[in-house]
Amino acid sequence: MESSGCVLVVDDETNLRRLLRSYLQKGGFMVVEAASGLDALSLLRTEEIDVALIDVMLPGIDGLELVRRIRAESEVPIILITARGEETSRVAGLEVGADDYVVKPFFPREVVARVRAQLRRSRGMLEEQQPLRLGPVELEPQSRRCQVNGHPVELTRREFDLLAALLGRPDVVISREQLLDRAWGSRFLSPKTVDVHVGSLRHKLGEAVRIEAVRGLGYRLTG
């Protein structure tokens, strides 16, 4: 069976790594393992990793710090593994660059589904490398640069992906769930996450474009 991609599993619990390896391999994935943050960084630099599964509680470099270090040099999709009740860690993880999270105890098949969702998202983005434009706003997916009237605008990863999803379908109402799927690779997050990032985009883009909230439906980008 042809591999669906390579997943890095980072956890200091051997039994959990073996469990995830078993289900991921049954799902058609290659798996590499790391028991610490430093080992994970080494593997990310030497192996072709498509998705990283990272436990928040790691010895030495914890999961959040590991995400920060990865984001300094890579856009690989990251799914955090957190314990129930670690709400602060989940929010912090998304803020520093994680793409999704799963909560212990979890169903291994759910983790495999999350991995597939992140792969679809990342591979879809690679296929859409042409510039996106509407009025004075231009996005360059390959370089991940945004310009308004020829001037650069600094966007976070999430803001960039959200704007790309809206620019890809101007004048069309897109639901919050669809935006979560496109920009985050997961519909398991709160729809309010979209609202917060839309507010930030409106502030940064000013009157260059309009991001309209359509009550009960979602958002629409217009020039």
Side-chain angles (χ1 to χ4, degrees):
M1 179 171 58
E2 185 178 351
S3 171
S4 299
C6 185
V7 181
L8 170 63
V9 178
V10 189
D11 198 299
D12 62 333
E13 295 183 29
T14 303
N15 289 339
L16 183 60
R17 294 201 312 271
R18 288 176 177 171
L19 176 66
L20 289 171
R21 171 188 282 274
S22 175
Y23 275 85
L24 286 164
Q25 287 179 334
K26 288 177 183 176
F29 294 98
M30 293 178 57
V31 179
V32 293
E33 302 177 26
S36 71
L38 289 177
D39 288 343
L41 286 172
S42 177
L43 286 168
L44 281 161
R45 290 164 181 158
T46 58
E47 303 288 336
E48 292 291 332
I49 305 298
D50 296 295
V51 179
L53 275 167
I54 300 174
D55 197 332
V56 170
M57 301 300 293
L58 291 173
I61 301 172
D62 68 17
L64 299 183
E65 178 60 25
L66 177 56
V67 172
R68 290 190 190 93
R69 297 194 185 188
I70 293 172
R71 281 292 168 255
E73 54 188 83
S74 173
E75 293 289 324
V76 65
I78 297 172
I79 301 173
L80 281 179
I81 302 173
T82 70
R84 191 175 301 280
E86 291 180 347
E87 182 65 30
T88 302
S89 294
R90 295 198 289 273
V91 173
L94 294 173
E95 289 178 346
V96 298
D99 298 280
D100 195 4
Y101 61 81
V102 292
V103 181
K104 297 178 184 177
F106 51 74
F107 293 105
R109 288 187 179 88
E110 178 190 351
V111 178
V112 175
R114 301 283 189 98
V115 169
R116 291 192 192 285
Q118 289 302 325
L119 274 174
R120 285 196 302 269
R121 171 182 166 273
S122 63
R123 288 171 177 172
M125 290 173 62
L126 287 174
E127 292 171 0
E128 299 172 5
Q129 292 294 309
Q130 68 274 16
L132 298 169
R133 300 182 181 87
L134 183 64
V137 178
E138 180 176 348
L139 285 187
E140 289 281 354
Q142 192 165 9
S143 61
R144 298 187 68 81
R145 292 178 180 174
C146 174
Q147 291 189 335
V148 175
N149 289 315
H151 300 290
V153 175
E154 292 295 326
L155 300 179
T156 66
R157 291 178 64 250
R158 287 288 172 252
E159 291 166 355
F160 187 98
D161 293 343
L162 180 58
L163 182 56
L166 291 165
L167 271 176
R169 300 180 66 191
D171 300 315
V172 174
V173 178
I174 308 176
S175 71
R176 288 173 175 82
E177 290 75 18
Q178 288 173 315
L179 290 170
L180 281 173
D181 199 29
R182 179 65 180 84
W184 279 263
S186 172
R187 297 191 180 193
F188 294 95
L189 305 174
S190 169
K192 292 182 180 178
T193 302
V194 176
D195 300 337
V196 172
H197 285 77
V198 164
S200 180
L201 276 177
R202 284 170 171 162
H203 176 71
K204 291 185 177 182
L205 298 176
E207 298 181 359
V209 290
R210 293 180 60 195
I211 305 177
E212 302 176 2
V214 182
R215 189 177 180 87
L217 295 177
Y219 288 97
R220 174 172 54 209
L221 184 74
T222 60

